[in-house]
Amino acid sequence: MWGPMLTTEAGFRAAGPANLAMGTAERRQVEGRDVIVARGQDGAYYAVAALCSHAALPLEGGRVRGSRIVCPHHGARFCLKTGRVLGPPAHEGITAYPTRVEGDEVMLWPL
């Protein structure tokens, strides 16, 4: 964790430092929940559920392509903006969390 839980008046929660290179992702924990924080190749930060909806395996280590993440286990593809499934073998989307950067912190809205 990155020190005490930071909460803004709007309810966003700190999800760690805004230090990812474009096109990368890593697992982080926010309020006891594992999430994948990714920085798309457009420079924007995204946060999605940490598990693939296909086989409940971790998305950690998945490739970020544009604003999509590819599951490292079976190749399912998800939109980082919406969580929508973009390719098999997954048939259901994953949770996507609204994000923003405040100072040097990625903040997300826990759903």
Side-chain angles (χ1 to χ4, degrees):
M1 207 62 194
W2 296 270
M5 179 56 61
L6 298 176
T7 305
T8 67
E9 64 283 349
F12 278 80
R13 305 294 193 264
N19 62 356
L20 296 177
M22 288 192 291
T24 63
E26 67 181 31
R27 184 187 59 80
R28 296 184 179 175
Q29 195 171 73
V30 178
E31 294 190 333
R33 182 180 306 175
D34 286 335
V35 297
I36 297 294
V37 174
R39 189 169 185 198
Q41 291 168 325
D42 59 0
Y45 278 89
Y46 303 99
V48 295
L51 298 179
C52 177
S53 62
H54 166 245
L57 293 170
L59 287 171
E60 186 174 15
R63 293 182 319 275
V64 175
R65 303 276 171 103
S67 60
R68 301 170 305 183
I69 190 165
V70 180
C71 177
H73 302 284
H74 300 113
R77 295 177 307 283
F78 301 94
C79 176
L80 287 167
K81 296 177 183 181
T82 65
R84 185 171 59 100
V85 66
L86 299 174
H91 297 287
E92 293 182 27
I94 57 176
T95 302
Y97 301 94
T99 60
R100 67 183 185 199
V101 174
E102 289 184 6
D104 62 353
E105 291 281 323
V106 176
M107 307 294 287
L108 69 83
W109 184 271
L111 300 177

